[in-house]
Amino acid sequence: MTHEFDTVIRHGTVATASGTMDADVGIRDGRIVALAESLGRGREEIDARHRLVLPGGVDAHCHLDQPVGDGLRMADDFLTGTRSAACGGTTTVIPFAAQARGQSLRAAVADYHARAEGRACVDYAFHLIVADPTPTVVREELPALIDTGYTSFKIYMTYDDLKLDDRQILRLLAVARQHGALAMVHAENADCIAWLTEALEAAGQTAPRHHADARPMVLEREATHRAISLAELVDVPILVVHVSGREAVEQIRWARGRGLRIYAETCPQYLFLTAEDLGHGYEGAKCVCSPPPRDVANQRVIWDGLADGLFTVFSSDHAPFRYEDPQGKKPGGQEVAFRHIPNGIPGLETRLPLLFSEGVRTGRITLEQFVALTATQPARLYGLHPRKGHIAIGADADLAIWDPDRRVTVRNEALHHAVDYTPYEGMTLTGWPTTTLVRGQRVWDHGEFLGRPGDGRFLRCGRPEMARPKGVEPAPGAYLARRPGGALAALAGRADPPSPRHG
Ligand code: DUC
Ligand code: ZN
Ligand code: ZN
């Protein structure tokens, strides 16, 4: 008997970012080749009656096997991290190839490829982290990497080993503009954090809960405003990552009101955790992340931003450190002062079920918004559309089949990451993916992980359409940048000239 398709997913409700339909999905050679009320036979048939068929999630912000130094180590590598992603309905991840100071950006990328190859179980692309924007990096390495499919990079405004000053940020934004990349910004004011940390330590206030005291919202607000202003000067879009609450949201709304292309990301920790979760003795270290979780009123602001379109993407910011681990939240086996606790919480597997249960099931956001925030828009924003994050003819058959009524109480022992806790332990959620397919292959099916290390493919990202400058009523910086061989281009790679003298 001949089959028209490799696989047919039958009788499901197919949801995209623009609507839902009752349809069969026909898959051949790893791609979606037909969508119709009723399709011919497939070699494999999946019954999706009473199920939702969604694009597999695109988690555009997660950290896997990223070198962190200081004797610390991330718990998840590309195998355990992507396994966990697949079991939570995510089919593409975009973690970070991080440059260390003094390291070439190309070397950082080569090292990161070696970590992923042969281990990833879902498809992956890389963002870059630029920590050392030397003239060679800015003039040669970064443009060459953008050309070859690494079209987004993260800029830090905090952390001593990563932070860049405004002039360095401007240079990188000019490169993003010139070469069509998207800059992502971690917006917190480093000097203010350092000052508050010193004061808290002097007062003996070193418990994990003081991590939140050292990073109040005003510091996120200031840095967000500054990042927006720098982007306006250069006339280039940016994405503000992991927005935590009202103060940063207000800055982004203000920027949008001015017609600037400022995109925003938020994460589960800002919907489901508060600063009080840092307050249970040293166990609070489990919820140490930056920016820190805020309070219930700020959670509402984030929900509003998801519902009204302020947020472009919803990512996990999975940054996995084990709690009972001398390379994790207890460095050297000790309960340490908050400044030494590695930042980050796990969330790759729970990202989608949390938002589905508490967003879609409660009516806070629509199913279409859910798909847009978790799959379609991340793919667009990072140059993976229309291949990823979308159900359409020709797209990769990356799909998650959801039981929208399934009740699951989150237990870390049932998750598939290598972290020894989840901040969401004991939450009961409604809705969970029963089956996940990557390019037509089942990687998660009714409680069983079926993926194979090495089956995940590296994705070269295109230049994102959303990263295009406005090019309207340009700021002076933009004018300079647009001229062929213009002044801003020339400045991009220059070493710092001496500062003007005073007096
Ligand atoms: N920023 C991130 O994006 N992830 C983890 C920690 C941090 O500060
Ligand atoms: Zn960050
Ligand atoms: Zn992160």
Side-chain angles (χ1 to χ4, degrees), residues 9-16 19-25 35 46-57 89 352-353 355-357 359-361 365-371 374 391 398-406 430-437 444 446:
I9 302 173
R10 219 172 270 293
H11 307 309
T13 299
V14 174
T16 70
T20 61
M21 58 191 151
D22 292 331
D24 294 350
V25 183
L35 283 166
I46 298 178
D47 182 5
R49 210 177 301 259
H50 310 302
R51 300 284 182 265
L52 298 173
V53 182
L54 308 186
L352 297 175
L355 188 67
F356 184 88
S357 176
V360 179
R361 293 291 316 214
I365 59 171
T366 64
L367 183 59
E368 288 83 358
Q369 286 177 309
F370 174 83
V371 171
T374 60
I391 297 182
D398 290 355
L399 299 161
I401 302 173
W402 283 68
D403 178 347
D405 300 316
R406 174 135 188 257
T430 306
W432 202 278
T434 56
T435 305
T436 308
L437 295 93
W444 164 248
H446 293 90

Side-chain angles (χ1 to χ4, degrees), residues 61-63 66 74 96 129 154 156 158-159 162 186 188 215 241-242 265 269-270 288-291 317-319 321 342-345:
H61 184 159
C62 57
H63 304 264
Q66 188 180 312
M74 287 196 168
F96 295 84
I129 289 175
K154 185 170 173 189
Y156 281 81
T158 186
Y159 296 126
L162 295 170
H186 178 132
E188 286 184 296
R215 306 178 102 99
V241 293
H242 44 50
E265 172 201 75
Q269 47 271 38
Y270 307 115
V288 163
C289 60
S290 295
D317 196 4
H318 181 87
F321 294 97
N343 264 264
I345 61 174

Side-chain angles (χ1 to χ4, degrees), residues 47-91:
D47 182 5
R49 210 177 301 259
H50 310 302
R51 300 284 182 265
L52 298 173
V53 182
L54 308 186
V58 177
D59 195 336
H61 184 159
C62 57
H63 304 264
L64 298 176
D65 202 9
Q66 188 180 312
V68 270
D70 284 344
L72 302 173
R73 191 187 170 88
M74 287 196 168
D76 282 313
D77 65 6
F78 274 82
L79 198 168
T80 61
T82 58
R83 177 181 70 194
S84 183
C87 300
T90 288
T91 51

Side-chain angles (χ1 to χ4, degrees), residues 58-59 121 199 255 286 317 335 460 475:
V58 177
D59 195 336
C121 311
K286 291 178 176 175
D317 196 4
E335 295 189 358
R460 292 187 190 279

Side-chain angles (χ1 to χ4, degrees), residues 197-256:
T197 302
E198 279 166 19
L200 287 160
E201 287 184 340
Q205 300 189 329
T206 60
R209 72 191 163 92
H210 297 298
H211 171 78
D213 299 332
R215 306 178 102 99
M217 282 205 296
V218 61
L219 311 192
E220 188 185 358
R221 182 229 291 169
E222 184 279 330
T224 302
H225 184 89
R226 187 157 33 104
I228 289 167
S229 304
L230 301 182
E232 181 177 11
L233 181 65
V234 178
D235 178 29
V236 70
I238 56 167
L239 171 88
V240 184
V241 293
H242 44 50
V243 169
S244 74
R246 176 182 297 284
E247 302 274 337
V249 162
E250 283 175 354
Q251 297 308 309
I252 294 159
R253 286 199 194 285
W254 169 82
R256 292 264 183 92

